[in-house]
């Protein structure tokens, strides 16, 4: 009996654990809980891209990719548990899609020697590779986003924001507070008046904040929300008849989920976009053939092409390119975590490469380096067309104001280094 | 009239309306606690489950479609019909009655005479189960709930207040509807409990289980009845909150807004749930308006609990709760 039990356990474990030669890239996802609606499409896009590589190309450099999924429910403690539970599988890189989890994992990955990749979220100053050896957040981070939003408003106002009133409506958390310093510094530079309006999580009740918007009549509202906060904010903006074209969300407040519940009222709402949108990219033909039609799509398979699906897919694509680079540098396909980190640091994604992958003009080209883990930080502006139920890009990539951002990144990362007794590298 | 005073009046009115929305959730807690002494942790999830079911039925969505498709290799999603709103609401109410029967048969029946903490723990389990069931049945995507309720600024209120004060107040049409519905709901519940046979039985059980049993009242029937009513109240709350934000899994968190209302109004009083909601709504909105800007804002969540705790110092049973004296 004992023998049978041991055999059963061994069989179960052999199914659960990836084969030793596989590349293991855990997916710390959230398909349950209050933030599931955002977590599901992202997780599906992430999984499907690796499925595509496995099915079409036989993996990366001939090595199959295993993507063990662990449910975090967007809960920081559960996220850390997921990390601890999966790192022993030979994890090469983590992408937890949560700023809270990212903050907890930074010291852990640095200790364990595993790359943490946080595109468009996480700790902004991790862009400084001299301090944050194991963390990468290219192609853009929160401060880039805030700066791009202000640059766009400058363009809209003939280069002058003096006397304009901008309200920042934000998720009252580490995530939501990220753009404050940037927007304050930019206010000092451009002369606009900044009003801060925090909203407590989850954000189902925002009447106070929107009454304040109605009273103070800001010219623009910049919005840093996530989850139900997004849908409620857009509905409340419609309710008070705030001009939607003057309401700009960060890229985490710009998915179909956020605007559809408000119906026609959401027409004209804008958000930042760090990648293209829609299904007009050649990669989707392969995705349909090798993944969706083959019945291998992640989840219900109904998220393909949505904004957050595209973002998950984009993150997976960057990771796969970093692994490819690591294989090239190491001269072996079976790379380890340290070699993958080197791949991330030496990664260069050109427009030609993006076109080869089937994503022409989808994301900005970038080249990482020892000091630059943050990329160029450019983003576009997309606008919601409620009648057609689609996002349309209304600008090309707008570069952030590095003159303001670089000193902020240097200051914040230096403080982290001093606190954690880290000697800057890359000298 | 000074501008700040007008703003304060507008904030107060909106606070009253928000309070009504909180009360709608709190009512479900009160009904179950009053009749059975159970603090129903699953009340927020009941509202979510009811709203999910309503949208699913209305849109002709096939329940468990994802599972069916995975098991049979099909590609089913919809029955292809759109049910009229009232029919969908009636069917959802029936589903909530069915759920109440199942809860009584599968959970509560087996826990008769157990300590309240055991029953409370059972409702925690129920909350997790229902949340998972809702996910598997209807999917976790955000669903637009459209039962024809108006949303957006009330032009009438705006123009009337503008003509009186020279400043048009903002009141959301949805909040006005919620207020009317809450008044009707409380009136119906009061009439039901005062004048119907079942209502009197419910009150008898609430007063004394043993005495009610001794005169032949079926405790099991009363539990089914009260969970059905709480399910209907959850449906109403789910419709109001779901219209506001779309139906999504964070809807279950509206229970957090009901807790301070219950602490303040008392766990056993229907009027207490209403008055408590109004006090919390007005209190948190006025505090955010007057003090919030000085201390960084986002005060509403914690202020509601602080206000409830202050009341508890003076009236531990809440404003309208029953004073329970236990002698050693």
């Amino acid at each position: 009996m004992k023998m049978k039990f041991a055999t059963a356990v061994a069989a179960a474990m052999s199914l659960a654990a990836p084969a030793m030669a596989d590349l293991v890239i855990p997916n710390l996802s959230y398909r349950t809980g209050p933030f599931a609606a955002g977590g599901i499409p992202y997780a599906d896009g992430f999984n499907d891209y690796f499925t595509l590589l496995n099915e079409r190309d036989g993996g990366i450099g001939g090595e199959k990719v295993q993507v063990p999924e662990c449910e975090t429910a967007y809960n920081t403690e559960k996220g850390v548990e997921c990390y601890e539970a999966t790192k022993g599988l030979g994890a090469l890189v983590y992408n937890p899609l949560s700023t809270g989890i990212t903050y907890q994992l930074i010291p852990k990955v640095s200790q364990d020697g595993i790359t943490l990749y946080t595109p468009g979220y996480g700790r902004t100053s991790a862009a400084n590779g001299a301090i944050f050896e194991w963390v990468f957040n290219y192609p853009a981070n929160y401060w880039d986003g805030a700066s791009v939003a202000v640059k766009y408003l400058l363009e809209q106002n003939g280069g002058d924001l003096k006397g304009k009133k901008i309200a920042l409506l934000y998720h009252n958390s580490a995530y939501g507070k990220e753009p404050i310093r940037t927007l304050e510094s930019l206010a000092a530079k451009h002369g606009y008046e900044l009003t801060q309006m925090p909203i407590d999580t989850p954000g189902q009740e925002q009447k106070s904040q929107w009454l304040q918007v109605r009273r103070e009549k800001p010219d623009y509202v910049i919005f840093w929300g996530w989850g139900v906060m997004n849908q409620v904010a857009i509905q409340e903006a419609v309710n008070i008849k705030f001009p939607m074209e003057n309401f700009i969300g960060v890229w985490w407040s710009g998915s179909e989920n956020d605007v559809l519940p408000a119906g026609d009222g959401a027409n004209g709402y804008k958000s930042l976009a760090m990648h293209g949108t829609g299904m007009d990219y050649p990669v989707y033909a392969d995705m349909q053939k090798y993944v969706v039609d083959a019945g291998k799509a992640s989840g219900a398979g109904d998220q393909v092409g949505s904004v957050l699906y595209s973002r998950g897919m984009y993150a997976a694509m960057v990771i796969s390119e970093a692994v490819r680079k690591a294989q090239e540098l190491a001269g072996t396909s079976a790379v380890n975590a340290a070699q993958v980190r080197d791949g991330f640091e030496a990664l260069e994604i050109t427009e030609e490469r993006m076109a080869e992958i089937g994503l022409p003009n989808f994301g900005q080209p970038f080249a990482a380096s020892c000091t630059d883990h943050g990329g160029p930080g450019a983003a576009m502006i997309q606008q919601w067309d409620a009648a057609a139920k689609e996002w349309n890009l209304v600008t090309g990539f707008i570069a952030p104001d590095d003159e303001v951002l670089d000193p902020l990144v240097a200051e914040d990362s230096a403080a982290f280094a001093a606190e954690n007794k880290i000697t800057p590298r890359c000298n | 009239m000074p501008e700040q005073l007008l703003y304060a009046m507008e904030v107060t009115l909106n606070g009253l309306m928000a309070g009504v929305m909180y009360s709608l959730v709190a009512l479900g807690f009160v009904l179950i606690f009053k009749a059975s002494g159970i603090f129903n942790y699953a009340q927020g999830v009941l509202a979510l489950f009811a709203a999910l079911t309503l949208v699913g039925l209305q849109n002709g969505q096939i329940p468990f479609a994802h599972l069916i498709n995975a098991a049979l290799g099909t590609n089913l999603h919809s029955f292809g019909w759109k049910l009229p709103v009232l029919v969908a609401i009636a069917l959802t109410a029936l589903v909530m009655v069915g759920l109440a029967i199942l809860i009584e048969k599968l959970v509560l029946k087996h826990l008769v005479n157990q300590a309240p903490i055991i029953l409370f723990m059972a409702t925690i389990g129920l909350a997790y189960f229902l949340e998972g069931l809702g996910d598997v049945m209807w999917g976790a995507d955000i669903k637009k709930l459209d039962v024809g309720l108006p949303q957006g600024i009330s032009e009438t209120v705006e123009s009337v207040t503008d003509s009186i004060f020279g400043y048009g107040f903002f009141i959301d049409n949805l909040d006005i509807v919620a207020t009317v519905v809450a008044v009707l709901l409380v009136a119906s519940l009061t009439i039901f409990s005062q004048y119907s046979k079942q209502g009197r039985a419910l009150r008898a059980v609430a007063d004394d289980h043993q005495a009610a049993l001794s005169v032949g009242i079926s405790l099991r029937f009363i539990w089914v009845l009260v969970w059905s009513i709480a399910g209907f109240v959850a449906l109403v709350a789910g419709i109001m909150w779901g219209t506001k934000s779309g139906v999504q899994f964070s809807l279950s968190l509206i229970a957090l807004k009901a807790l301070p209302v219950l602490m303040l109004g008392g766990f056993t009083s229907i009027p207490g749930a209403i008055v408590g909601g109004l006090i919390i709504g007005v209190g948190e909105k006025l505090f955010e308006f007057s003090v919030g800007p000085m201390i960084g804002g986002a005060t509403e969540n914690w202020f509601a609990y602080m206000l409830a705790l202050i009341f508890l110092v003076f009236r531990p049973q809440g404003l309208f709760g029953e004073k329970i004296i236990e002698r050693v």
Side-chain angles (χ1 to χ4, degrees):
Chain A
M1 187 66 190
K2 273 182 187 170
M3 195 61 197
K4 271 187 184 171
F5 179 72
T7 311
V9 169
M13 284 177 73
S14 67
L15 284 175
M20 288 310 285
D22 288 343
L23 302 165
V24 180
I25 301 172
N27 185 357
L28 270 50
S29 63
Y30 37 100
R31 295 178 182 275
T32 64
F35 299 94
I40 289 171
Y42 190 93
D44 285 354
F46 192 80
N47 289 345
D48 282 354
Y49 190 76
F50 288 118
T51 306
L52 172 66
L53 295 184
N54 284 340
E55 296 302 312
R56 187 190 60 191
D57 309 336
I60 306 171
E63 299 287 342
K64 289 271 188 184
V65 183
Q66 292 280 345
V67 190
E69 200 165 338
C70 186
E71 172 69 34
T72 70
Y74 195 61
N75 175 298
T76 301
E77 289 77 21
K78 282 190 191 170
V80 173
E81 282 174 26
C82 277
Y83 170 80
E84 295 294 346
T86 52
K87 71 177 183 184
L89 300 173
L92 299 174
V93 51
Y94 282 91
N95 166 34
L97 188 57
S98 155
T99 295
I101 298 173
T102 298
Y103 270 74
Q104 292 300 314
L105 292 189
I106 286 174
K108 287 180 179 290
V109 295
S110 306
Q111 183 76 30
D112 296 334
I114 303 174
T115 297
L116 185 61
Y117 179 50
T118 61
Y121 67 91
R123 184 174 185 135
T124 297
S125 61
N128 184 358
I131 308 294
F132 294 90
E133 185 179 358
W134 292 92
V135 190
F136 296 81
N137 57 14
Y138 45 64
N141 58 51
Y142 292 136
W143 296 355
D144 294 327
S147 172
V148 168
V150 171
K151 260 193 149 181
Y152 173 68
L153 297 182
L154 276 165
E155 276 176 23
Q156 297 288 299
N157 289 276
D160 185 11
L161 284 174
K162 278 195 185 65
K164 295 285 181 191
K165 288 160 84 174
I166 297 178
L168 170 67
L169 196 67
Y170 66 94
H171 194 279
N172 193 28
S173 65
Y175 153 64
K177 290 174 183 171
E178 278 276 339
I180 292 175
R181 279 190 69 194
T182 308
L183 290 174
E184 283 174 343
S185 299
L186 290 167
K189 181 174 176 179
H190 298 297
Y192 61 80
E193 186 188 325
L194 179 69
T195 309
Q196 297 172 32
M197 299 181 191
I199 303 169
D200 266 333
T201 188
Q204 278 157 323
E205 173 56 38
Q206 304 178 14
K207 201 69 85 194
S208 294
Q209 290 76 18
W210 285 97
L211 285 175
Q212 192 183 348
V213 169
R214 190 167 178 266
R215 285 194 301 269
E216 297 183 2
K217 297 183 177 59
D219 297 289
Y220 299 98
V221 172
I222 294 178
F223 178 48
W224 233 256
W226 184 230
V228 68
M229 187 172 289
N230 290 348
Q231 294 87 44
V232 174
I234 291 168
Q235 182 60 57
E236 292 286 9
V238 174
N239 290 349
I240 70 159
K241 297 181 179 170
F242 188 80
M244 296 308 279
E245 65 277 11
N246 293 347
F247 186 18
I248 303 174
V250 67
W251 40 67
W252 299 114
S253 305
S255 76
E256 296 83 354
N257 287 335
D258 304 325
V259 282
L260 282 172
D264 291 343
N267 190 51
Y269 170 73
K270 290 173 181 166
S271 88
L272 298 169
M274 58 178 183
H275 53 74
T277 185
M279 288 185 69
D280 295 334
Y281 295 95
V283 74
Y284 282 113
D286 281 354
M287 194 66 90
Q288 189 70 34
K289 182 179 169 188
Y290 291 97
V291 181
V292 180
D293 291 346
K296 295 179 187 295
S298 175
D302 56 354
Q303 301 288 335
V304 182
S306 68
V307 169
L308 291 172
Y309 180 95
S310 305
R311 193 160 307 150
M313 184 180 75
Y314 185 37
M317 184 276 287
V318 172
I319 289 172
S320 66
E321 290 302 297
V323 170
R324 219 179 288 280
K325 187 72 185 174
Q327 290 172 332
E328 182 192 317
L329 292 175
T332 172
S333 57
V335 284
N336 61 30
Q339 290 164 333
V340 168
R341 194 215 72 84
D342 294 345
F344 267 90
E345 201 159 88
L347 182 62
E348 180 178 8
I349 296 187
T350 61
E351 181 48 40
E352 290 72 36
R353 180 60 189 149
M354 290 292 285
E356 271 173 39
I357 290 167
L359 290 167
N361 300 311
F362 182 83
Q364 54 196 313
F366 66 87
S369 69
C370 181
T371 51
D372 183 4
H373 286 195
M380 301 175 281
I381 304 291
Q382 60 179 8
Q383 187 166 29
W384 180 246
D385 179 344
K389 291 187 176 163
E390 63 184 25
W391 290 101
N392 295 312
L393 293 169
V394 293
T395 71
F397 277 108
I398 300 172
D401 187 345
D402 287 334
E403 191 187 315
V404 170
L405 299 188
D406 287 349
L408 292 178
V409 169
E411 188 188 327
D412 193 72
S413 54
F416 180 84
E419 212 173 280
N420 294 279
K421 298 182 176 57
I422 295 170
T423 308
R425 35 181 222 119
C426 314
N427 294 317
Chain B
M1 199 178 279
E3 217 172 35
Q4 287 301 315
L5 186 60
L6 287 175
Y7 293 157
M9 284 166 66
E10 183 187 34
V11 167
T12 305
L13 273 175
N14 276 278
L16 288 170
M17 300 286 180
V20 170
M21 294 286 275
Y22 303 158
S23 299
L24 279 176
V25 188
L27 270 176
F29 282 96
V30 168
L31 284 167
I32 290 180
F33 191 84
K34 200 171 155 59
S36 57
I38 301 172
F39 178 79
N40 180 22
Y41 184 85
Q43 190 62 33
V45 184
L46 276 182
L48 165 68
F49 187 81
L52 281 171
T53 306
L54 174 61
V55 179
L57 289 173
Q58 203 183 350
N59 296 333
Q61 193 185 339
I62 297 174
F64 302 107
H66 179 37
L67 277 186
I68 295 169
N69 292 339
L72 305 178
T74 50
N75 191 26
L76 304 170
H77 292 289
S78 169
F79 290 113
W81 72 56
K82 278 256 179 196
L83 283 182
V85 172
L86 287 178
V87 176
I89 291 176
L91 285 176
T92 308
L94 278 179
V95 170
M96 298 312 284
V97 172
L99 187 66
I101 293 169
L102 283 175
I103 289 171
E104 195 281 327
K105 276 199 186 312
L106 301 175
V107 182
L108 301 177
K109 189 176 85 172
H110 305 285
L111 298 174
V112 173
N113 287 332
Q114 295 292 326
I117 188 69
I118 302 294
L119 290 160
F120 171 64
M121 298 295 279
T123 65
I124 293 179
L126 184 64
Y128 283 109
F129 176 77
L130 281 179
E131 200 166 294
L133 181 69
D135 190 348
V136 175
M137 270 181 89
W138 305 111
D141 53 318
I142 299 174
K143 296 161 181 71
K144 183 172 169 58
L145 176 59
D146 185 5
V147 293
L149 296 180
Q151 267 189 291
I153 187 167
S154 164
E155 308 280 355
T156 314
V157 173
E158 189 184 31
S159 65
V160 168
T161 48
D162 192 36
S163 64
I164 298 171
F165 304 113
Y167 172 73
F169 287 6
F170 171 86
I171 299 287
D172 190 345
N173 279 314
L174 181 67
D175 289 343
I176 296 173
V177 173
T179 305
V180 173
V181 169
V183 169
L184 290 175
L185 200 60
V186 170
S188 313
L189 286 172
T190 308
I191 292 168
F192 171 77
S193 68
Q194 296 291 336
Y195 300 109
S196 73
K197 188 181 164 193
Q198 286 80 9
R200 282 196 294 273
L202 199 147
R203 282 164 53 216
V205 170
D207 283 345
D208 191 325
H209 282 192
Q210 296 296 335
L213 282 170
S214 70
V215 294
I217 294 172
S218 163
L219 191 58
R220 291 183 58 188
F221 170 73
I222 291 299
W223 276 3
V224 169
L225 181 67
V226 79
W227 277 79
S228 299
I229 297 171
F232 181 73
V233 172
L235 171 61
V236 174
I239 290 173
M240 295 303 163
W241 284 91
T243 301
K244 204 174 160 134
S245 63
V247 177
Q248 53 183 305
F249 278 73
S250 55
L251 204 59
S252 62
L253 300 178
I254 56 174
L256 295 176
K257 281 290 183 187
L259 284 182
V261 172
L262 292 165
M263 288 158 69
L264 199 149
F267 280 77
T268 52
S269 166
I270 290 173
I274 299 294
V275 176
L278 297 179
I279 293 174
I280 291 288
V282 172
E284 67 175 25
K285 294 282 180 287
L286 275 179
F287 188 80
E288 175 71 24
F289 170 70
S290 53
V291 183
M294 289 181 256
I295 56 173
T299 60
E300 286 169 87
N301 276 4
W302 62 262
F303 180 77
Y305 282 89
M306 199 183 78
L307 190 62
L309 285 172
I310 291 170
F311 269 84
L312 281 187
V313 171
F314 299 102
R315 281 190 67 86
Q317 69 275 33
L319 278 179
F320 295 87
E322 288 165 15
K323 196 166 189 175
I324 300 165
I325 300 170
E326 290 187 10
R327 300 184 196 284
V328 179

